[in-house]
Amino acid sequence: FTVLLSATSQEAVDFASLSYQLTDTHVIHIFDHHSATREIGSDLSPNLSSGFQGVSLQDGLALIGYSYFDYAGDENAETVLVFLNGPLASAAKVLAARTPGLGVVSVRVLRPWNEEALRKVIPSSTKRVHVFDDVPADLTQGALYVDVFSTLLDTSGPVPLIKAHRLTPTRTQSF
């Protein structure tokens, strides 16, 4: 199965369209309908035409101009924040654009997990990775942290310090 995460209205439209073109997997598409993906009065149309039936996930993402992960911030960042694609990731990208030494990774595709794609977007200068994981309770370990940890632990170079930050529903509403 495939899990796609949208943070903007255009991503929601593009990923919804892509979901119908993928014939080799079931798709779960997660988006925030209370803010980022609400209709704002502008006409949105998908970037993928319906003529691409049966396209693979990786090829479909490339056709509509997306990748598994989005990186924003300093190209030589020593600290990288990892978020599921959504409102918090969007806010963190704005912060990263103004903060030297900081980068933000937004996860657009949670499943299937692509280790190689994550390794490509994390700068080699990274010393610290902070994974912000949406979990139901403080004592729960999130899947995002486990995926990031196992991906970065399995590298030939130096392994950055990887720290989990659990975001519970109560904590998320305080943002």
Side-chain angles (χ1 to χ4, degrees), residues 10-158:
Q10 187 62 53
E11 281 180 342
V13 169
D14 290 339
F15 287 176
S17 174
L18 176 62
S19 297
Y20 288 102
Q21 307 305 321
L22 301 174
T23 56
D24 62 342
T25 184
H26 294 282
V27 177
I28 299 168
H29 179 201
I30 300 170
F31 57 93
D32 176 15
H33 70 281
H34 289 292
S35 61
T37 56
R38 279 207 139 158
E39 291 182 36
I40 54 173
S42 62
D43 184 30
L44 298 172
S45 57
N47 288 327
L48 181 66
S49 67
S50 59
F52 290 99
Q53 193 74 337
V55 68
S56 73
L57 175 61
Q58 190 161 355
D59 291 342
L61 286 170
L63 284 170
I64 58 177
Y66 297 102
S67 58
Y68 281 74
F69 304 97
D70 184 38
Y71 181 82
D74 193 339
E75 292 178 10
N76 298 310
E78 290 188 3
T79 302
V80 173
L81 312 178
V82 180
F83 291 92
L84 293 174
N85 198 22
L88 286 178
S90 297
K93 286 181 191 178
V94 172
L95 180 66
R98 300 176 181 173
T99 308
L102 181 64
V104 172
V105 174
S106 297
V107 178
R108 284 194 180 118
V109 180
L110 185 59
R111 294 288 179 266
W113 185 253
N114 189 325
E115 292 184 354
E116 182 181 335
L118 180 63
R119 284 190 202 107
K120 284 182 181 178
V121 300
I122 301 242
S124 60
S125 57
T126 302
K127 295 181 180 172
R128 292 168 301 283
V129 176
H130 297 271
V131 181
F132 293 84
D133 216 344
D134 292 308
V135 295
D138 282 327
L139 299 175
T140 307
Q141 184 63 64
L144 181 59
Y145 172 75
V146 173
D147 290 339
V148 171
F149 183 81
S150 63
T151 298
L152 298 180
L153 187 64
D154 186 29
T155 60
S156 58

